[in-house]
Amino acid sequence: METAFTVLAVAKALKAAGKDVVELEIGDSPFDSTASAKAAGVQAIEQNQSHYCPSPGIPEFREAAARFVKREFNIPAEARNIVAGPGAKIFEQFFCEAFLDPSDGVLVFGPYFPTYLPNILRRGARAVVRPLLQSNQFRPDVAEVERFLAEDKSPKAIFLNSPHNPTGGVATEADLARIARAVRGKNIAVFSDEPYCHMVWKGKHASILAQPGMLDQSVAAFTFSKSYSMSGWRLGFAVAGAAIADAIGKMINTTLSCTPALVQLAGAAALDRDQAERDAVMLKFREKVELLTAGLNRIQGIRTLDPTATFYVFPNVAPICNRLGITSHGLALYLLEGADDKFGIACLGGECFGDAGRGFLRFSCAEPNDRLHQALEFLPIALSRTDRIAAYLEKHAEFRLKETYSA
């Protein structure tokens, strides 16, 4: 289950009751959908594009998506390699359906997006979790891939997420080339989760599907939610070898029927015409990340990396948790519920993303800059209120820290 939506519900309830909450918990864009997407969506409605369409996607959308990934990421895709879906998340499930059998091993790097494991476990497969380390810029360790392939009793798949949620880490092109060399030609499938492809602040996004031969043993998932601020449209697409794309298209047919044509037409317009607007908005996101990172690093006990990618900041707060005797998830909820009667900050404890996230917090930057400043000003005050922290732990003993975090 994605905990961000649980915390979102708590934050909304507190706001409805009159509390001022700075919402940094959910990965949603605060900006408007891009202009061409909106115009094309309205036009599609007016032209009655409101009926069933082909399950893999309408030709205009599949062609636009293929042009897009070839142009921007050097993925050798054609329309037949594209499948439209309602966002990117659904392709996790379809990937698992296509490739995993009971007892198969799947390498997952943690912290991990919280829906990965449920989709793997639904198939009776095993998640083999290896940590991403702050000391390694949260990049996937290629040695862990090689170890998985050599030691697992039934290795079948690898989940990659770059740029990475929640840490903001980025797998370099050299990392991806080494991973591709390790798996190429083997009975190993790669799920490459790439929603933050335009939010790379150092260097440029690279996809493992651009590596020779990897299109035919991979599924990459892209979304319009981040780059084009279209989260509510529910639109994404998968890129895969033609046989895999055909299989996913059949799964779309038997589960969702199709992704609305009017939404696909809006997405195609965004891909073809909204690059300049998209890139301008990305610069605004970068400004937010830099603002929040600099402010957090000025607070004693908090340590976060310079911004590399995404619109999340993932600070290490282990020294604070150890000093206060509270888990990082407990600290996040204290900041929301217990630090003040009238003001709160909604963020996520790192353990929402698996054990490797313990001792961290995840902040989204999806609020206006003045609200980010308010949150930064409030944090030291909240952390100094030891009486309120003690009272919160008295009511919520499950958040008492039982084992010191390694800092």
Side-chain angles (χ1 to χ4, degrees):
M1 181 174 174
E2 192 176 345
T3 317
F5 286 93
T6 305
V7 177
L8 174 69
V10 175
K12 296 297 186 189
L14 289 172
K15 289 174 76 171
K19 191 167 191 174
D20 183 12
V21 177
V22 181
E23 291 197 59
L24 307 179
E25 81 283 13
I26 198 77
D28 197 0
S29 170
F31 301 109
D32 293 340
S33 299
T34 55
S36 296
K38 290 192 290 186
V42 170
Q43 183 180 47
I45 292 169
E46 291 175 341
Q47 293 178 349
N48 296 311
Q49 297 282 353
S50 53
H51 301 280
Y52 291 127
C53 65
S55 295
I58 60 175
E60 302 98 310
F61 178 79
R62 300 177 80 187
E63 290 162 4
R67 289 194 300 271
F68 163 77
V69 296
K70 186 180 293 184
R71 178 180 71 241
E72 302 217 6
F73 309 127
N74 298 314
I75 298 173
E78 301 174 9
R80 64 184 184 145
N81 301 115
I82 305 296
V83 184
K89 192 184 299 181
I90 190 67
F91 295 112
E92 298 168 28
Q93 180 177 343
F94 292 150
F95 174 88
C96 292
E97 292 285 338
F99 289 104
L100 300 183
D101 291 316
S103 82
D104 282 343
V106 184
L107 179 63
V108 178
F109 288 98
Y112 47 76
F113 191 63
T115 57
Y116 290 171
L117 264 58
N119 281 303
I120 293 167
L121 295 172
R122 187 182 290 118
R123 294 293 297 160
R126 296 173 293 106
V128 180
V129 181
R130 295 287 182 261
L132 297 169
L133 302 177
Q134 192 177 42
S135 58
N136 191 41
Q137 307 292 306
F138 295 117
R139 288 165 47 200
D141 186 345
V142 183
E144 293 289 5
V145 175
E146 295 166 343
R147 176 184 163 199
F148 167 71
L149 297 175
E151 297 180 3
D152 194 82
K153 62 183 180 182
S154 180
K156 181 60 71 70
I158 299 170
F159 271 52
L160 294 178
N161 176 206
S162 177
H164 186 259
N165 176 15
T167 68
V170 174
T172 66
E173 191 163 3
D175 293 334
L176 297 174
R178 287 183 61 194
I179 294 171
R181 282 197 297 271
V183 304
R184 187 181 293 113
K186 297 185 172 77
N187 187 25
I188 302 291
V190 177
F191 181 77
S192 185
D193 199 11
E194 307 183 28
Y196 302 91
C197 54
H198 294 110
M199 292 184 175
V200 179
W201 316 131
K202 292 182 180 179
K204 192 174 185 296
H205 174 64
S207 173
I208 196 168
L209 277 73
Q211 295 293 321
M214 290 307 296
L215 179 63
D216 288 327
Q217 63 183 97
S218 304
V219 175
F222 294 87
T223 180
F224 290 75
S225 298
K226 318 304 179 186
S227 299
Y228 299 94
S229 300
M230 293 174 66
S231 57
W233 296 74
R234 305 312 304 134
L235 180 64
F237 62 91
V239 187
I244 302 169
D246 182 65
I248 294 174
K250 291 173 181 174
M251 294 182 208
I252 294 278
N253 178 277
T254 57
T255 55
L256 305 168
S257 294
C258 61
T259 302
L262 64 92
V263 174
Q264 293 185 58
L265 289 166
L271 293 177
D272 284 342
R273 301 200 292 271
D274 283 339
Q275 180 176 341
E277 183 179 353
R278 177 199 73 200
D279 291 347
V281 170
M282 294 305 102
L283 291 177
K284 295 178 182 178
F285 274 118
R286 180 174 186 165
E287 178 187 356
K288 290 176 178 297
V289 173
E290 291 175 346
L291 186 162
L292 191 54
T293 298
L296 287 170
N297 277 333
R298 286 194 288 268
I299 299 173
Q300 187 174 4
I302 295 179
R303 177 170 53 89
T304 189
L305 298 177
D306 289 340
T308 302
T310 78
F311 64 155
Y312 305 116
V313 181
F314 196 66
N316 186 325
V317 292
I320 291 171
C321 292
N322 291 340
R323 175 170 58 84
L324 299 176
I326 192 170
T327 66
S328 43
H329 186 50
L331 180 61
L333 291 177
Y334 160 74
L335 293 172
L336 174 60
E337 298 177 310
D340 193 85
D341 294 336
K342 297 181 179 179
F343 187 82
I345 301 170
C347 63
L348 300 181
E351 54 267 66
C352 297
F353 306 92
D355 288 346
R358 297 169 71 246
F360 291 82
L361 296 176
R362 192 196 78 170
F363 293 91
S364 165
C365 295
E367 282 266 31
N369 288 1
D370 62 329
R371 297 287 279 167
L372 298 180
H373 282 294
Q374 280 184 279
L376 289 167
E377 291 168 4
F378 178 68
L379 273 168
I381 297 170
L383 296 174
S384 71
R385 293 176 171 174
T386 52
D387 55 334
R388 294 188 74 106
I389 295 168
Y392 191 75
L393 286 173
E394 192 67 31
K395 290 183 179 178
H396 302 279
E398 68 272 21
F399 297 139
R400 291 188 184 279
L401 188 61
K402 298 179 176 61
E403 184 177 334
T404 300
Y405 294 138
S406 58

